[in-house]
Amino acid sequence: MRIYFGFTVAGDRSTLEAARRIVATLEALGHVVLTKHLVRDDAREADRSISAQQVYERDMAWLQECDCFVAEVSGSSFGIGYEAGYLLASSRTALLFYRRDAAERLSLLITGNTHPGCTLVPYEKVEEMEAYLRDQWRPAP
């Protein structure tokens, strides 16, 4: 499965290690993570090395190509909300992980999401996310 992984580039990246572990788990399960560059230390600088229009066109192409959206949204940004909304509106699924202790800071459009294609998974430990991906997540074919 081709996965568009969402993680903030410009926002709060304090959950970077958790995001890296999600990407590693997805790849270990045999999925292709189109946006794994987001978990690199230099993600912001890399995006700034090309024009804003090039970032938009690249990301929109990946959004068109992907089968589903998986994201760590604890440090969410406008971009993650845009990506999730875009994919849910196009009848693809979204799996959104967020730290329980971050829930009060997150948009209510995330924590209150009841869209049938969206699954919210609050977590305390990274191992919970890995276990969810391995044992419970059943992405649509």
Side-chain angles (χ1 to χ4, degrees), residues 32-108:
V32 174
V33 180
L34 301 170
T35 54
K36 66 182 177 181
H37 69 285
L38 296 175
V39 298
R40 292 182 13 202
D41 287 331
D42 68 345
R44 183 175 173 83
E45 293 78 19
D47 271 5
R48 297 293 189 261
S49 71
I50 59 177
S51 74
Q53 184 175 5
Q54 288 171 309
V55 169
Y56 175 80
E57 290 170 356
R58 175 198 68 193
D59 289 6
M60 292 305 293
W62 281 330
L63 286 167
Q64 289 293 320
E65 179 184 345
C66 76
D67 299 306
C68 68
F69 182 63
V70 176
E72 204 298 336
V73 301
S74 300
S76 66
S77 64
F78 179 77
I80 292 173
Y82 182 93
E83 294 157 351
Y86 180 88
L87 288 169
L88 289 170
S90 65
S91 300
R92 283 174 274 175
T93 59
L95 173 61
L96 308 179
F97 291 104
Y98 65 91
R99 287 178 33 163
R100 272 193 181 84
D101 64 357
E104 292 297 316
R105 296 187 312 269
L106 295 178
S107 168
L108 298 178

Side-chain angles (χ1 to χ4, degrees), residues 14-36:
S14 65
T15 55
L16 178 58
E17 190 52 41
R20 286 179 173 148
R21 301 257 305 260
I22 294 169
V23 169
T25 301
L26 290 168
E27 289 183 325
L29 292 170
H31 301 292
V32 174
V33 180
L34 301 170
T35 54
K36 66 182 177 181

